[in-house]
Amino acid sequence: MADVIVQGERWFPSDNHFSRELKQHWGDWYCDSEIGKLRDVIMRRPGPEIDMVNEHNYEEFRWRAEMDVYKAREQHDKLADIYRQNGVNVHYVERQREDRPNAMFMRDQVLMTPEGAIVCRNGISARRGEERFTAEKLAELGVPIVRTINGSGWFDGACAMWIDRETVILGTGARANKSGAEQVEFELRNMGVKYIIPFEIPYGHAHLDGLINIADRKTALLFPWQVPYEVVKALLEREFTIVEATDLEEIKWQLCTNFVALKPGKVVMPAGCPDTRFKLENAGVEVIEANMSELLKGWGAMHCMTAFLKRDPL
């Protein structure tokens, strides 16, 4: 009888951290702030899905009014042009359901991290299903999907906001429940986030970016009457300058906090917010304005419409 030679496994696993291999195997994707130099974004140019919204049904989709679809697309294109003029690569989700007119608000579908994207599960049923086509585009680009919010969880990406590599504000409320927030927190802590600042989003508000945003390395704009003390305290402990937006017209109707930082200290914000613009510029922030008048009818501006895929580390 022949001898049987038993050999053990000769292929051993690599101990390299995922982040060290991301560029090699996936692509150059990264985000750990709201202000690092913006390099890549993913957007959805309003398509045929917005044609279905009219004066009789706009409230079903949480819009404030029917849009002029031609103006809405023109304003979206001009925003994308501002990004390109500032060295940003704009990637589009080309396919989408034609019964999902809110699909342009991409921030709600994607929360970007240092190791890839968290694909979100929107809080309102009128938006669920958008994320399938977002995930399709992320896969096409080579952006790792580190998690899709699942189970009983729901979470809009605009319910989280990076402060620095180790610190994230995590909101709960009408668009993010406990299960969804816990799933996000698990992934963030697995990537080295040490500090989670909880933010209970007040009744009547959907997302953090309607109340707070980061404009520079140590400058935050916020609506002082509805941002919890503990959130402001955490920012002050990190030596932030707090700029208070107090013009109710600009806050509620023009969405003055809903801006996008192109780099530290330079933002693009909705036009028609002179008081907030003055305060930001007085704090040393360079401001570019973009007309969002039609798009605002969907209760969103540029921060809502832009999901970051790459920002330079701070």
Side-chain angles (χ1 to χ4, degrees):
M1 182 177 180
D3 293 335
V4 177
I5 300 175
V6 178
Q7 294 181 326
E9 175 60 67
R10 293 293 191 268
W11 295 94
F12 298 102
S14 168
D15 291 330
N16 284 343
H17 193 276
F18 179 84
S19 61
R20 294 181 61 185
E21 297 186 338
L22 194 152
K23 288 184 183 180
Q24 176 185 356
H25 299 307
W26 293 88
D28 193 4
W29 314 108
Y30 184 93
C31 184
D32 68 357
S33 78
E34 298 292 324
I35 60 167
K37 171 63 178 173
L38 189 58
R39 302 291 184 180
D40 288 83
V41 300
I42 186 170
M43 304 178 76
R44 167 67 182 174
R45 184 180 187 271
E49 65 272 12
I50 69 169
D51 296 333
M52 67 171 289
V53 183
N54 56 54
E55 61 180 332
H56 304 294
N57 67 2
Y58 66 87
E59 291 182 333
E60 296 177 21
F61 303 102
R62 196 190 163 270
W63 286 21
R64 66 170 75 159
E66 178 187 8
M67 291 182 192
D68 180 319
V69 296
Y70 301 102
K71 288 183 179 179
R73 290 176 181 128
E74 180 182 27
Q75 290 175 5
H76 196 278
D77 289 342
K78 288 182 178 179
L79 174 62
D81 286 341
I82 290 173
Y83 288 152
R84 295 186 187 101
Q85 290 161 12
N86 284 271
V88 181
N89 298 312
V90 179
H91 308 276
Y92 288 109
V93 174
E94 291 91 1
R95 296 203 318 131
Q96 188 52 259
R97 288 175 54 159
E98 293 192 7
D99 61 346
R100 292 294 183 264
N102 286 305
M104 72 183 87
F105 300 124
M106 290 294 301
R107 172 73 182 214
D108 301 336
Q109 298 179 46
V110 178
L111 175 62
M112 193 61 185
T113 77
E115 297 187 21
I118 295 175
V119 175
C120 300
R121 182 171 182 243
N122 292 134
I124 57 175
S125 59
R127 297 199 60 184
R128 289 182 181 168
E130 297 172 12
E131 67 275 16
R132 170 190 167 184
F133 301 98
T134 299
E136 178 181 83
K137 185 62 180 184
L138 291 169
E140 177 188 324
L141 291 170
V143 179
I145 296 175
V146 297
R147 177 185 281 268
T148 300
I149 302 300
N150 60 80
S152 61
W154 30 273
F155 189 91
D156 286 9
C159 292
M161 187 166 287
W162 287 92
I163 300 302
D164 56 47
R165 179 62 180 82
E166 296 183 340
T167 312
V168 175
I169 298 176
L170 201 56
T172 53
R175 302 302 176 87
N177 68 354
K178 180 180 178 182
S179 173
E182 287 177 345
Q183 291 178 48
V184 172
E185 180 174 354
F186 175 85
E187 298 299 339
L188 294 176
R189 291 195 181 279
N190 189 48
M191 297 175 197
V193 171
K194 296 179 181 179
Y195 308 105
I196 297 293
I197 303 172
F199 189 130
E200 188 171 338
I201 300 172
Y203 174 78
H205 288 278
H207 302 125
L208 296 180
D209 54 13
L211 298 168
I212 188 172
N213 209 338
I214 311 301
D216 204 347
R217 292 178 185 273
K218 294 293 180 180
T219 302
L221 175 73
L222 56 81
F223 180 31
W225 308 324
Q226 290 195 300
V227 175
Y229 167 76
E230 291 297 332
V231 174
V232 180
K233 180 173 180 286
L235 293 174
L236 292 174
E237 288 173 347
R238 289 162 174 80
E239 301 182 336
F240 269 74
T241 294
I242 303 300
V243 179
E244 296 186 356
T246 54
D247 186 302
L248 294 180
E249 174 74 20
E250 294 182 9
I251 294 162
K252 188 63 179 177
W253 295 103
Q254 299 301 121
L255 304 191
C256 63
T257 61
N258 204 273
F259 58 78
V260 169
L262 300 168
K263 65 179 182 179
K266 182 178 182 179
V267 305
V268 55
M269 71 178 295
C273 303
D275 184 68
T276 307
R277 175 172 183 165
F278 173 79
K279 290 178 178 179
L280 284 171
E281 290 179 336
N282 196 49
V285 177
E286 180 183 353
V287 175
I288 299 172
E289 290 186 334
N291 184 0
M292 296 278 103
S293 58
E294 287 303 314
L295 296 164
L296 285 169
K297 293 177 181 178
W299 285 114
M302 56 273 293
H303 196 268
C304 292
M305 292 184 287
T306 309
F308 314 139
L309 294 182
K310 184 184 178 184
R311 284 189 179 274
D312 289 354
L314 293 179

